[in-house]
């Protein structure tokens, strides 16, 4: 049995599968057969918490996930997101109540389910008061179409405003050794309000696996990392210098670099979930090998000193993308 943690009314695996990679953003997605095989392997291994969104593949990811998970629906926690979708082939942030209600109906159809366990507002729409967007999500709860509500990429202040409108079960944002933004305020706010924190990109978008040594040649042109400052040649060259000591700690610990990064994250609090994504069954199995791995306090301290917001080179996002999110920034 894999380790489980409490998220609202659910007990779900602390190692959580993010399904975006199977349809969206990280270069050419795998074929349908390979994607389905990866999802089935996750189920076989014991994963029972799966995350998708209306945006991913502009709906195709929800259709994929729904088709594979439908026979197991009563035994899994299913999360999806609204508020950021594809319109005419372009990403659009739209948190208006009418859009949220419509998107939910579309997602339910694609997912082949009557209810979504955890439904996030994918991005805050700065043109719409957060109370109005959360109010629409609350109506979905009243209608029985959504069981619990989450927020993605929000600040502590926005979380508190939203929680005053309706209880927030979880916040999803990027968190890893090299992205510490949640430590500014959101982690404390989650603990204060009793919300879980679901950390996406816990392996620093592949950096902490140790396998990505040359983004210029290893990444496809349409990979979202090509637009991220940390992956620009000069910054990445500096960041790579951190990996030798990091890999040495993994060897001392008796685990792979990926497992070390996941174990560090899960050690940050018992309300934290590690939401990782992959296209590879081998990498899936490797990541799941972090289940139950407990790091000594001195190892955690060494990792904190080695990779953090002051030792990593490059901003998390480009200025254009940073302007779309509500998270605190260093």
């Amino acid at each position: 049995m894999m380790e489980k943690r409490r998220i609202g009314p659910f007990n779900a695996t602390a190692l959580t599968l993010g399904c975006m990679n199977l349809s969206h953003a990280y270069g050419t997605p795998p074929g349908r057969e390979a994607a389905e095989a990866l999802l089935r392997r996750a189920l076989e291994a014991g994963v029972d918490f799966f995350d998708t969104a209306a945006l991913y593949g502009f709906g195709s990811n929800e259709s994929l996930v729904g088709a594979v998970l439908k026979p197991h629906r009563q035994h899994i926690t299913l999360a999806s997101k609204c508020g950021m979708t594809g319109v005419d082939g372009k990403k659009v942030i739209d948190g208006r109540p009418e859009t949220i209600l419509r998107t939910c109906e579309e997602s339910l159809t694609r997912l082949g389910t009557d209810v979504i366990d955890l439904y996030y507002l994918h991005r805050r729409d700065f043109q719409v008061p957060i109370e109005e967007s959360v109010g629409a999500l609350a109506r979905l709860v009243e209608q029985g179409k959504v069981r619990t509500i989450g927020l993605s990429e929000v600040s502590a202040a926005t979380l508190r405003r939203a929680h005053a409108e309706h209880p927030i079960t979880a916040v999803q944002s990027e968190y890893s050794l090299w992205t510490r933004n949640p430590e500014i305020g959101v982690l404390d706010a989650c603990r204060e309000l009793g919300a879980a924190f679901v950390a996406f990109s816990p392996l620093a978008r592949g950096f902490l696996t140790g396998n990505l040594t040359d983004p210029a040649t290893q990444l496809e042109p349409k990979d979202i990392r090509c637009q991220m400052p940390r992956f620009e040649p000069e910054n990445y060259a500096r960041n790579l210098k951190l990996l030798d000591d990091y890999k040495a700690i993994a060897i001392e610990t008796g685990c792979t670099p990926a497992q070390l990064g996941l174990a560090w994250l899960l050690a940050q609090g018992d309300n934290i979930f590690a939401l990782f994504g992959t296209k590879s069954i081998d990498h899936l199995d490797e990541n799941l090998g972090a289940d139950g791995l407990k790091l000594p306090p001195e190892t955690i301290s060494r990792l904190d000193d080695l990779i953090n917001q002051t030792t990593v080179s490059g901003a998390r996002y480009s200025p254009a993308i940073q302007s779309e999110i509500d998270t605190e920034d260093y």
Side-chain angles (χ1 to χ4, degrees), residues 268-320:
Q268 302 310 303
D270 59 10
N271 70 323
I272 293 177
F273 291 75
L275 176 65
F276 69 87
T278 182
K279 304 176 190 178
S280 163
I281 288 180
D282 287 343
H283 292 163
L284 170 69
D285 290 342
E286 177 187 351
N287 291 349
L288 295 181
D291 182 58
L293 178 59
K294 305 299 181 184
L295 302 179
E298 58 268 26
T299 299
I300 294 173
S301 179
R302 288 171 64 194
L303 290 170
D304 283 331
D305 291 341
L306 177 64
I307 304 178
N308 57 61
Q309 71 275 10
T310 63
T311 63
V312 170
S313 297
R316 176 185 168 210
Y317 284 137
S318 67

Side-chain angles (χ1 to χ4, degrees), residues 9-305:
F10 313 110
N11 281 317
T13 46
L15 290 169
T16 303
L17 186 63
C19 302
M20 181 176 75
N21 304 53
L22 301 178
S23 306
H24 191 85
Y26 285 87
T28 303
R32 178 79 180 208
E33 184 176 339
E36 290 181 351
L38 188 142
L39 291 170
R40 288 194 296 270
R41 173 58 189 153
L43 286 164
E44 292 167 1
V47 176
D48 64 11
F49 191 6
F50 294 83
D51 181 278
T52 182
L55 176 71
Y56 303 160
F58 296 167
S60 65
N61 193 252
E62 286 183 321
S63 297
L64 165 69
V65 170
V68 176
L69 300 186
K70 187 173 183 179
H72 310 273
R73 183 66 188 90
Q74 293 184 339
H75 307 291
I76 65 170
T77 300
L78 180 61
S80 193
K81 309 179 196 69
C82 63
M84 186 162 64
T85 57
V87 178
D88 296 329
K90 296 182 179 181
K91 179 188 74 177
V92 173
I93 296 174
D94 185 348
R96 294 175 298 171
E98 58 269 28
T99 303
I100 290 173
L101 299 175
R102 185 187 71 248
T103 302
C104 183
E105 295 292 345
E106 295 167 351
S107 291
L108 289 169
T109 298
R110 288 190 292 261
L111 290 166
T113 187
D114 295 326
V115 61
I116 298 170
D117 297 317
L118 174 58
Y119 201 41
Y120 294 96
L121 183 67
H122 204 160
R123 289 291 186 273
R124 177 183 173 185
D125 182 344
F126 290 101
Q127 305 305 312
V128 179
I130 190 65
E131 291 82 2
E132 291 186 16
S133 296
V134 173
L137 293 169
R139 288 200 292 277
L140 291 170
V141 174
E142 294 169 359
Q143 294 168 5
K145 297 175 181 178
V146 168
R147 289 195 171 104
T148 63
I149 294 173
L151 302 173
S152 179
E153 295 274 45
V154 297
S155 64
T158 297
L159 170 58
R160 291 190 174 94
R161 284 176 55 190
H163 191 79
E165 182 71 21
H166 187 280
I168 301 300
T169 290
V171 171
Q172 181 177 137
S173 286
E174 184 176 357
Y175 187 33
S176 69
L177 277 164
W178 88 340
T179 295
R180 302 299 193 93
N181 304 63
E183 296 174 358
I184 299 172
V186 169
L187 289 179
D188 285 342
C190 283
R191 296 185 186 104
E192 171 192 327
L193 300 173
F197 186 90
V198 179
F200 73 77
S201 297
L203 295 177
R205 301 185 185 272
F207 172 73
L208 292 176
T209 68
N211 297 322
L212 184 60
T213 56
D214 186 5
T217 60
Q218 289 178 266
L219 300 183
E220 297 180 37
K222 291 186 178 181
D223 191 303
I224 58 172
R225 290 171 288 186
C226 294
Q227 306 302 319
M228 294 178 175
R230 288 180 183 174
F231 291 90
E232 294 173 356
E234 289 187 7
N235 286 329
Y236 206 73
R238 296 189 192 99
N239 293 330
L240 280 176
K241 294 178 182 178
L242 303 171
L243 279 184
D244 286 343
D245 288 343
Y246 177 76
K247 289 179 179 179
I249 295 174
I251 291 171
E252 292 175 23
T253 306
C255 66
T256 69
Q259 291 165 352
L260 184 66
L262 292 168
W264 174 88
L265 178 68
L266 293 178
Q268 302 310 303
D270 59 10
N271 70 323
I272 293 177
F273 291 75
L275 176 65
F276 69 87
T278 182
K279 304 176 190 178
S280 163
I281 288 180
D282 287 343
H283 292 163
L284 170 69
D285 290 342
E286 177 187 351
N287 291 349
L288 295 181
D291 182 58
L293 178 59
K294 305 299 181 184
L295 302 179
E298 58 268 26
T299 299
I300 294 173
S301 179
R302 288 171 64 194
L303 290 170
D304 283 331
D305 291 341

